[in-house]
Amino acid sequence: MSTVRGARERARTEITLAIKDEARRQLAAEGASTLSLRAVARELGMVSSALYRYFPSRDELLTALIVDAYDALGEAAETARASAAGSSGPYPARWTAVTCAVRAWALAHPHEYALLYGSPVPGYSAPQDTVGPASRVGLTLIGLVREAHAAGRAEVPPLGATAAAEAARMAGDLAPDLPPATVAALVAAWAQLFGLLSFELFGQFHRVVEDRDAFFARATGELARTVGLTTGEDGR
């Protein structure tokens, strides 16, 4: 009986993967707003009623694709941080390694990036299930800055008095062990990182930025400075 159950589970896993692969192909060809379970079933040679046993609605299929994309992006960031930590390089360089890994994933998966950070899909509201995966890049950056503070390789960025209350609230929610000014700077840097990526992937840099590798490395290096990361050698 266990052998039969195992075979059924493997078959279900394979079909689930095939459904998601076909859905990603349709996302790349036509966009998320036109994603259809019936169209996916037709391309896979399935009756739609059979597909509904795997994904009861379009929204559940979209959620699965979004979670997969966030997890893949988060894994890229986490792997880069772990590799950079192993090199014992300065913390600004580690920050750049993480952000460049995020960019590399985005450039390699533009349609999945668009699903995460492009125009909202009409009629779709992301459920709570997406929050954890969506947080992985941000938590990786927070962890890197936390490590730099523990090593004495980070300064507290300036913070105006009018922003103090909001910074304290964000710190309480996201990283109570870090200075509020640092957390506020991290939130701003996180937003600017994905702003840079969206400008590049969605065409706003066309005929504006030519050497995009160098431009991104320089811009993300500035972000490392804004969150207070230093080399520890000369305070910069």
Side-chain angles (χ1 to χ4, degrees):
M1 183 64 69
S2 61
T3 301
V4 173
R5 185 181 302 112
R8 287 175 178 170
E9 290 174 354
R10 286 193 299 273
R12 183 175 183 85
T13 297
E14 290 173 2
I15 294 172
T16 299
L17 291 174
I19 292 169
K20 291 195 287 188
D21 285 344
E22 174 57 28
R24 291 188 189 98
R25 190 195 67 77
Q26 292 191 20
L27 287 178
E30 302 177 23
S33 61
T34 61
L35 182 64
S36 162
L37 290 183
R38 290 182 180 275
V40 171
R42 182 171 60 250
E43 290 299 321
L44 292 176
M46 300 172 63
V47 295
S48 55
S49 59
L51 190 146
Y52 290 135
R53 291 201 293 269
Y54 296 86
F55 295 99
S57 68
R58 181 210 67 162
D59 284 6
E60 291 196 32
L61 177 55
L62 271 176
T63 295
L65 297 177
I66 289 169
V67 168
D68 284 354
Y70 274 134
D71 277 336
L73 179 57
E75 183 176 356
E78 292 160 2
T79 300
R81 180 190 169 194
S83 297
S87 69
S88 300
Y91 282 95
R94 299 187 196 189
W95 171 280
T96 300
V98 171
T99 56
C100 284
V102 171
R103 176 176 179 256
W105 184 91
L107 293 176
H109 304 88
H111 302 292
E112 290 171 76
Y113 180 89
L115 179 62
L116 301 181
Y117 297 105
S119 300
V121 180
Y124 174 80
S125 180
Q128 190 69 22
D129 294 354
T130 63
V131 173
S135 302
R136 290 177 66 172
V137 171
L139 291 175
T140 299
L141 296 175
I142 288 172
L144 178 61
V145 172
R146 179 182 288 120
E147 182 184 340
H149 272 270
R153 297 293 185 264
E155 300 173 343
V156 179
L159 179 70
T162 58
E166 179 67 357
R169 183 197 61 77
M170 287 191 289
D173 289 343
L174 300 173
D177 57 321
L178 289 176
T182 298
V183 177
L186 272 163
V187 172
W190 169 74
Q192 290 174 77
L193 167 62
F194 285 101
L196 286 166
L197 294 175
S198 293
F199 262 51
E200 181 172 5
L201 268 74
F202 301 150
Q204 281 88 349
F205 282 157
H206 181 57
R207 295 189 177 180
V208 177
V209 179
E210 296 295 336
D211 188 348
R212 295 179 184 175
D213 292 347
F215 179 85
F216 182 84
R218 184 168 59 254
T220 198
E222 283 298 304
L223 294 181
R225 183 185 60 78
T226 66
V227 301
L229 295 182
T230 69
T231 63
E233 298 167 356
D234 57 6
R236 291 180 294 188

